[in-house]
């Protein structure tokens, strides 16, 4: 990663509310940021839904600068009490319902958490920023969002921060709604905000409903590896720790109200990606090369499946000097190694709740 020391610090976090810090990216962010941002204290507010695992970050309590609160971002009394208690200077907002397929099955929780929950947070942040006595606090709200708000691309072109919104799944629409509310709070009330919209993340601690950990899980179990449609949809993959370094950079150095797209610059069709994973996992398990290819099963496509996402990450690199540290090959090697070394983590995700989701999602496709 390039050096950021010559860029002015525009926000210096002292008391940080991280929402959704028991989930995939939030856990990785806390593990990245708590040891580095030594001037800051961190509170992790997470409801611990099926996707939340507070034990991912429990060891951070040893720093004396990290604590965990189980609770709902859509609970205004709780959120207000936490702001009063901790005097947050900074919100890094990850908490969300995050899986597109679940949003197609059950959209309501996506609207509640992603739209209402975000608004509850914004409202407390607004009151911490502009206090009742008319004075101003030092507050910045970093909204972590997704490239899916921009819709879908054909074979050419890139999303830019200026691309008009065109969300197509209930998940994407709920995230688009939350982005609009963040900008509305900045425009209407002047709340200091920054936004980042990133491409597909992968790496340690990702719940095995998402493509990469699901493929690793199924190869290990010799279960069918479900590929939607013909596997020709394209995603741009970003190693999660690189996303975390980008968030830290944007949070501390970006101008007020800036939006940056965070891209791994690694586009692959799903079927290419699945083949690479099979190669890597088979090699680690000492299976003969390609032995698990027979597990691939092409299944009925996702309804409304966005064809391709790809992002122009050049403003983040030009303005703030950020670049990803790992290419996809290295990132996938590290990821496969992590899941194979942490099989108990994968197995713990495989409870009755997950099995009933899995059946509903894949049976008869
Ligand atoms: P995740 O599903 O792994 O984790 C979400 C976390 O939020 C969980 O710990 C869950 O318990 C918590 N949560 C859910 N509802 C809550 C509520 N009402 N109150 C408090 N906590 C609640 O998700 P993720 O993949 O880590 O994604 C984190 C954020 O990043 C999301 O906002 C998502 O939209 C965004 N994002 C994800 C990706 C990706 O590839 N995973 C890419 C771009 C943006
Ligand atoms: O682009 C950013 C988004 O990436 C985030 O905002 C979302 O939170 C995150 O879940 C992810 O969304 P996707 O829908 O792209 O990720 P998922 O891992 O579910 O699927 C990746 C691709 O693989 C997609 O084209 C669908 C396909 N797929 C997925 C699953 C779960 C399959 O072919 N088979 C599967 O079983």
């Amino acid at each position: 990663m390039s050096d950021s020391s010559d860029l002015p610090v525009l926000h210096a976090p002292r008391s940080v509310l991280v929402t959704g810090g028991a989930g995939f990216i939030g856990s990785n962010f806390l593990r990245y940021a708590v040891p580095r941002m030594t001037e800051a204290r961190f509170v992790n507010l997470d409801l611990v839904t099926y996707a939340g695992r507070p034990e991912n970050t429990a060891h951070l309590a040893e720093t004396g600068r990290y604590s965990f609160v189980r609770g709902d971002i859509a609970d205004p009394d709780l959120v207000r009490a936490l702001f009063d208690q901790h005097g947050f200077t900074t919100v890094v907002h990850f908490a969300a319902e995050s899986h597109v397929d679940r949003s197609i099955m059950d959209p309501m929780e996506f609207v509640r958490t992603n739209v209402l929950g975000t608004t509850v947070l914004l409202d407390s942040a607004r009151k911490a920023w502009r206090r009742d006595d008319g004075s101003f606090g030092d507050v910045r709200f970093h909204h972590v969002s997704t490239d899916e708000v921009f819709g879908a691309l054909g074979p050419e072109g890139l999303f830019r921060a200026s691309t008009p919104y065109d969300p197509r799944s209930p998940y994407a629409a709920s995230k688009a709604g939350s982005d609009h509310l963040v900008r509305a709070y900045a425009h209407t009330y002047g709340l200091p905000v920054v936004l980042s919209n990133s491409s597909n993340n992968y790496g340690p601690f990702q719940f095995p409903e998402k493509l990469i950990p699901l493929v690793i899980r199924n190869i290990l179990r010799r279960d069918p590896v479900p590929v939607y449609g013909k596997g020709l949809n394209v995603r741009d993959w970003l190693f999660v720790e690189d996303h975390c370094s980008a968030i830290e950079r944007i949070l501390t150095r970006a101008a007020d109200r800036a939006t940056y797209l965070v891209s791994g610059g690694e586009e692959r069709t799903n079927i290419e990606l699945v083949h690479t994973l099979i190669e890597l996992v088979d090699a680690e398990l000492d299976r003969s090369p390609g032995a698990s290819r027979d597990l691939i099963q092409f299944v009925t496509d996702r309804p409304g499946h966005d064809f391709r996402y790809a992002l122009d990450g050049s403003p983040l690199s030009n303005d703030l000097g950020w670049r990803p540290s790992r290419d996809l090959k290295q990132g996938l090697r590290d990821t496969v190694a992590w899941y194979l070394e942490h099989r108990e983590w994968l197995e713990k995700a495989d409870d009755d709740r997950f099995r009933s989701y899995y059946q509903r999602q894949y049976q008869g496709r």
Side-chain angles (χ1 to χ4, degrees):
M1 206 177 75
S2 70
D3 184 20
S4 62
S5 52
D6 50 342
L7 293 167
V9 173
L10 298 182
H11 178 71
R14 286 176 284 107
S15 178
V16 186
L17 173 63
V18 173
T19 70
F24 165 48
I25 308 175
S27 290
N28 277 283
F29 178 75
L30 283 163
R31 293 167 73 99
Y32 178 88
V34 173
R36 285 175 175 80
M37 297 164 77
T38 52
E39 303 300 305
R41 287 172 288 114
F42 292 81
V43 174
N44 173 8
L45 172 62
D46 195 298
L47 187 55
V48 192
T49 67
Y50 75 91
R53 298 274 282 273
E55 62 270 27
N56 296 348
T57 53
H59 67 285
L60 296 172
E62 288 161 18
T63 61
R65 295 181 293 106
Y66 167 79
S67 59
F68 174 70
V69 176
R70 184 172 187 170
D72 189 346
I73 57 164
D75 175 347
D77 294 337
L78 170 67
V79 170
R80 205 172 308 121
L82 289 173
F83 268 84
D84 288 346
Q85 187 186 342
H86 296 279
F88 296 125
T89 58
T90 310
V91 181
V92 187
H93 176 34
F94 295 96
E97 287 294 331
S98 68
H99 191 40
V100 173
D101 292 320
R102 288 186 195 254
S103 84
I104 295 168
M105 285 180 186
D106 292 313
M108 293 307 171
E109 198 55 21
F110 285 71
V111 177
R112 197 191 76 83
T113 288
N114 300 1
V115 182
L116 179 64
T118 300
T119 313
V120 167
L121 292 167
L122 285 165
D123 220 50
S124 273
R126 166 172 83 90
K127 288 167 189 154
W129 172 67
R130 188 166 198 166
R131 304 187 188 106
D132 285 344
D133 64 7
S135 67
F136 289 92
D138 170 24
V139 171
R140 175 168 270 200
F141 190 103
H142 185 140
H143 182 53
V144 178
S145 193
T146 169
D147 55 4
E148 300 202 11
V149 298
F150 299 115
L153 294 163
E156 304 292 324
L158 297 171
F159 295 135
R160 298 193 163 73
S162 57
T163 303
Y165 275 36
D166 184 21
R168 287 150 183 260
S169 71
Y171 163 70
S174 68
K175 290 297 292 187
S178 67
D179 290 13
H180 289 319
L181 279 152
V182 172
R183 294 200 179 93
Y185 268 71
H187 182 79
T188 306
Y189 306 110
L191 178 70
V193 304
V194 288
L195 296 90
S196 51
N197 296 71
S198 99
S199 60
N200 284 61
N201 284 220
Y202 68 99
F205 300 110
Q206 187 167 32
F207 193 78
E209 63 191 351
K210 307 280 166 48
L211 181 67
I212 288 181
L214 181 75
V215 170
I216 297 171
R217 167 194 182 270
N218 288 16
I219 299 172
L220 278 169
R221 297 163 57 104
R222 298 185 196 269
D223 280 352
V225 169
V227 175
Y228 298 165
K230 296 191 165 115
L232 298 179
N233 298 62
V234 175
R235 296 292 182 268
D236 165 357
W237 293 97
L238 170 68
F239 191 68
V240 64
E241 197 179 296
D242 286 329
H243 188 192
C244 295
S245 71
I247 290 172
E248 189 201 13
R249 187 71 60 92
I250 295 163
L251 173 66
T252 56
R253 319 272 165 159
D256 188 31
R257 301 194 192 183
T259 294
Y260 283 101
L261 307 193
V262 190
S263 162
E266 294 276 17
E267 286 185 53
R268 296 291 185 282
T269 62
N270 293 334
I271 191 68
E272 278 178 280
L273 186 76
V274 168
H275 278 295
T276 307
L277 284 168
I278 286 175
E279 227 173 81
L280 291 170
V281 179
D282 278 350
E284 288 285 328
L285 296 178
D286 287 329
R287 293 184 190 167
S288 58
S292 303
R293 258 185 239 141
D294 289 349
L295 297 175
I296 294 176
Q297 205 168 85
F298 292 97
V299 301
T300 309
D301 211 349
R302 174 185 277 174
H305 195 176
D306 286 340
F307 175 62
R308 173 173 166 261
Y309 306 139
L311 309 183
D312 178 8
S314 62
L316 181 55
S317 126
N318 295 338
D319 297 354
L320 303 187
W322 177 88
R323 270 168 209 84
S325 69
R326 277 183 185 73
D327 63 14
L328 183 64
K329 195 82 200 227
Q330 188 56 47
L332 287 180
R333 265 197 216 105
D334 295 347
T335 301
V336 166
W338 188 86
Y339 282 99
L340 297 193
E341 276 161 26
H342 295 84
R343 289 190 204 193
E344 76 299 340
W345 192 93
L346 259 186
E347 277 153 22
K348 195 169 167 216
D350 234 308
D351 57 8
D352 289 348
R353 215 166 23 161
F354 181 66
R355 278 194 285 275
S356 98
Y357 158 77
Y358 194 88
Q359 273 208 333
R360 212 174 142 200
Q361 174 61 17
Y362 294 101
Q363 212 169 36
R365 272 177 100 148

